[in-house]
Amino acid sequence: MDDKDDIVAAWIAREIVPREASIRRWFSRRWSHVVDVEDVIQEAYCRIASLASVDHIDNPGGYFHQTANAVVTDMMRRAGIIKFTSMTQIEWSNVIDNEPLADRALEASEEYARVDNLLGTLSDAGRKVIELRRIEGLSRKETAARLGLSENDVKNHLVRGLQKIMGAMAEQDARSSTDAEEAVERKAEAIGKRRPH
């Protein structure tokens, strides 16, 4: 992989992957009855990964959303479901959210840092498999060829890696929830002690 591909892949991991869940939910609600949302998301990743540069993208979430919209339009046009007509700016403004809300941007940034940190706990092969399959959108066969592994090894690394990450995230969430409950209890006790009897 050359430097350009590394830069684009790192940008996708940092800017797009944390936004994928919300985009996926939106497309599932709107288009799941017409197109396969998984195919849309994968094709959107492929299109973005093939860019020569991402320097021109000011709003990664909006760009990903527009790219996925273009994929849906292309799929529907090829299937003969719709005849393409241009949309006005007002129509697009009803579809595209140009700026994420501040709390969502912060949440996505924190979630990215969390996942990136957990990826670092995996074996080198496990991390690379997840990056190639989930970030770059390579097939199992392409990933196996690039890493010199069997397709079965790729599958095993992916499953074990994702299970480890999801388990660690669940454990962190449970610990965080317990810590929050304990903090509330301590505050309640402190307030109770200060009340005049």
Side-chain angles (χ1 to χ4, degrees):
M1 191 181 282
D2 60 69
D3 289 338
K4 181 217 44 123
D5 290 337
D6 288 342
I7 290 168
V8 172
W11 182 87
I12 288 171
R14 184 179 64 251
E15 299 293 343
I16 301 298
V17 171
R19 293 172 168 89
E20 178 185 331
S22 65
I23 300 279
R24 182 184 304 278
R25 281 192 302 274
W26 191 91
F27 275 92
S28 291
R29 283 192 309 268
R30 183 157 172 102
W31 297 110
S32 63
H33 63 287
V34 179
V35 295
D36 183 345
V37 175
E38 288 297 321
D39 289 347
V40 171
I41 297 296
Q42 286 301 316
E43 178 62 22
Y45 272 122
C46 290
R47 290 183 184 190
I48 292 172
S50 68
L51 293 173
S53 169
V54 291
D55 296 339
H56 64 287
I57 301 172
D58 294 325
N59 180 356
Y63 192 90
F64 188 62
H65 196 277
Q66 284 181 318
T67 303
N69 261 324
V71 170
V72 169
T73 301
D74 290 345
M75 287 176 161
M76 291 173 65
R77 187 183 316 131
R78 280 193 303 269
I81 296 170
I82 62 167
K83 291 184 176 21
F84 185 76
T85 58
S86 61
M87 292 176 71
T88 66
Q89 185 63 35
I90 293 171
E91 290 171 319
W92 272 114
S93 68
N94 290 330
V95 175
I96 300 168
D97 181 11
N98 289 328
E99 288 296 323
L101 298 173
D103 60 336
R104 289 199 179 170
L106 178 61
E107 185 180 305
S109 175
E110 289 172 349
E111 197 68 13
Y112 165 75
R114 181 179 175 193
V115 171
D116 190 46
N117 188 29
L118 290 171
L119 276 172
T121 66
L122 299 179
S123 68
D124 192 44
R127 182 181 49 76
K128 285 182 193 266
V129 164
I130 290 174
E131 288 172 350
L132 292 173
R133 292 279 288 133
R134 295 295 185 191
I135 297 171
E136 292 189 30
L138 296 182
S139 69
R140 190 186 305 172
K141 185 176 185 176
E142 291 168 327
T143 302
R146 188 174 291 184
L147 297 177
L149 300 170
S150 72
E151 288 185 46
N152 197 41
D153 286 342
V154 167
K155 177 184 172 187
N156 290 336
H157 279 297
L158 183 65
V159 169
R160 283 194 305 263
L162 290 176
Q163 284 176 339
K164 183 174 181 181
I165 288 173
M166 296 306 288
M169 290 176 80
E171 188 177 304
Q172 289 173 353
D173 289 344
R175 194 169 39 243
S176 174
S177 177
T178 301
D179 292 346
E181 288 173 11
E182 289 173 359
V184 168
E185 288 174 12
R186 283 193 301 274
K187 285 181 185 177
E189 286 175 16
I191 291 169
K193 289 177 183 176
R194 289 187 205 144
R195 282 192 195 146
H197 295 282

